[in-house]
Amino acid sequence: MGITLAQAEQAIAAAKAKSTELGLKMNIAVVDAGANLVAFARQDGAWLGSVDISIKKAKTARFFDMNTGDLGQASQPGGSLYNIEHSNGGLITFPGGIPLKDANGEVIGGIGVSGSTVENDHTVAQAGASGIN
Amino acid sequence: MGITLAQAEQAIAAAKAKSTELGLKMNIAVVDAGANLVAFARQDGAWLGSVDISIKKAKTARFFDMNTGDLGQASQPGGSLYNIEHSNGGLITFPGGIPLKDANGEVIGGIGVSGSTVENDHTVAQAGASGIN
Amino acid sequence: MGITLAQAEQAIAAAKAKSTELGLKMNIAVVDAGANLVAFARQDGAWLGSVDISIKKAKTARFFDMNTGDLGQASQPGGSLYNIEHSNGGLITFPGGIPLKDANGEVIGGIGVSGSTVENDHTVAQAGASGIN
Amino acid sequence: MGITLAQAEQAIAAAKAKSTELGLKMNIAVVDAGANLVAFARQDGAWLGSVDISIKKAKTARFFDMNTGDLGQASQPGGSLYNIEHSNGGLITFPGGIPLKDANGEVIGGIGVSGSTVENDHTVAQAGASGIN
């Protein structure tokens, strides 16, 4: 099913380090290739509402193998995927979710981060994705 | 877990007084720091659909420690948090939900009011928040 | 729609007094004749899981105009209403929910109490029902 | 909100160590005093269906401040809490969920473990609970 727990924990550790460096409080979720939760961490004081959002971002990124923010471009009113958020028990389509790939470029899971601006969420998610060896 | 029942009842009493003063009929909900319901009151004749809305407003305000209307600014089409309402089993992001804070500014819960215009909902929620000793 | 907020608050006050007298911590919910929430209170330290249970007890009592414990007699394996709990988004069929009636015996709502043994839950619910003038 | 992320990670590390020692593959979830998720880990190859079960066990343990297996004793057919599982969006009432307490005995959260027999689930949850400093 792709990512191992050890790799997911590397991603979360790297995301936590970046979040702390930026003075933020984040929820961080990692799912595997089957879009099932592998690891999760909520930093002390992070928004409670972002528990679910971070998990949904990670799943959304793996559901469609693209950054959540890219999907959100197409889900706007008039867009080709308008209101796709109604599927799969609720998607989150703003930035902060990124597919995770192995050295061959194959998708092995997804990471989702929520707790600040979407720019910060994406930055921390990228740090997490880059932290996997 | 933050707010006590006695404080929640103060908030509801103050909100009810303001609602009555304005000739309105409101649903008023208070949640604690864990976003769990502490107290609720529906004034006679208030909209039935606003039971759930008032509870969701109170939870949303605590989920993100901000007024629900502020969140709604960012969840519009094209906004950075478009369709965030699909998370957490349903958020309400128009005015009427306010985080409740103690004397040190720490969030101890949230209040949500629904039953009139969003301006009136917000005014009554503010009265409730101010009613806590 | 039956019960007024003033009456619901009488019921909750009477239930709280009985709960305190018995040294308990209860969640107390009152619904109207339409099975919609009118008032709710969670005593400090009461079980979080009983928020939903108390509301479901109040609704269940009004849904079928009988004590929840009576319904539970018939929902056991082999019983005529086996697993009726799957309906209506989830019923609770053990004691603690009681229909509320006016002086003419007409059902005007329901009260649900949860936070202790089912015997205590029922006792406190009865005190609440008896507290309405 | 009770437990910190650092404490939750201690609990998960201790639970993982015990699971590995016993040759098992577990899902491990920790919630805070508000029953909101703080940390989660799924060991490689652990049952996918146990993601949700471990989270529900952790929440159930905090919802009622007791071991999930104790609740399950009372929710059997004919028991006083028959079919309580229909509340709170689904409870899990067999062993593997334990409330987490601080040095003063106050509940600060809950841990839920799922992936093997309920005896093993409970053993690993206990190891997790004992791992908090």
Side-chain angles (χ1 to χ4, degrees), chain C:
Chain C
M1 295 302 294
I3 197 169
T4 64
L5 175 55
Q7 290 174 310
E9 289 174 334
Q10 289 171 348
I12 285 186
K16 281 171 54 180
K18 174 59 74 176
S19 172
T20 300
E21 175 194 326
L22 298 175
L24 306 172
K25 300 168 181 175
M26 292 295 198
N27 289 267
I28 308 153
V30 176
V31 300
D32 65 12
N36 297 295
L37 193 64
V38 177
F40 173 84
R42 171 156 53 94
Q43 295 188 288
D44 298 342
W47 287 331
L48 293 178
S50 286
V51 175
D52 186 55
I53 292 176
S54 65
I55 295 173
K56 280 186 165 53
K57 282 182 179 175
K59 292 191 177 199
T60 299
R62 171 48 183 151
F63 281 155
F64 301 100
D65 293 347
M66 64 179 75
N67 290 353
T68 50
D70 293 346
L71 194 64
Q73 299 292 328
S75 70
Q76 299 295 320
S80 58
L81 304 179
Y82 174 56
N83 266 351
I84 191 174
E85 294 85 358
H86 286 267
S87 69
N88 295 286
L91 298 178
I92 291 293
T93 59
F94 45 81
I98 298 178
L100 298 172
K101 302 180 182 181
D102 65 15
N104 300 320
E106 190 165 357
V107 178
I108 57 171
I111 185 170
V113 174
S114 179
S116 179
T117 63
V118 296
E119 291 79 12
N120 283 336
D121 291 353
H122 181 71
T123 297
V124 171
Q126 276 187 312
S130 301
I132 300 175
N133 295 316

Side-chain angles (χ1 to χ4, degrees), chain B residues 4 22 24 28-30 37 48 50 58-59 77 88 94-95 100 114 130-131 133:
Chain B
T4 63
L22 298 174
L24 305 171
I28 308 154
V30 176
L37 193 65
L48 293 179
S50 287
K59 293 192 176 199
N88 294 287
F94 46 80
L100 298 172
S114 179
S130 301
N133 295 317

Side-chain angles (χ1 to χ4, degrees), chain D residues 7 19 30 43 55-56 59 67 69-70 72 90 96-98 109 120 123 130 132:
Chain D
Q7 291 174 310
S19 172
V30 176
Q43 295 187 288
I55 295 174
K56 280 187 164 57
K59 293 193 176 198
N67 291 352
D70 293 346
I98 299 178
N120 283 335
T123 297
S130 300
I132 300 176

Side-chain angles (χ1 to χ4, degrees), chain B residues 15-29:
Chain B
K16 281 171 54 182
K18 174 59 74 175
S19 173
T20 301
E21 175 194 326
L22 298 174
L24 305 171
K25 299 168 181 176
M26 292 296 197
N27 289 266
I28 308 154

Side-chain angles (χ1 to χ4, degrees), chain A residues 47 49 52 76 83 85-86 94, chain B residues 63-64 78 80 82-83 88:
Chain A
W47 287 332
D52 185 54
Q76 299 294 320
N83 265 351
E85 294 84 359
H86 287 266
F94 45 80
Chain B
F63 279 155
F64 302 100
S80 60
Y82 175 58
N83 264 353
N88 294 287

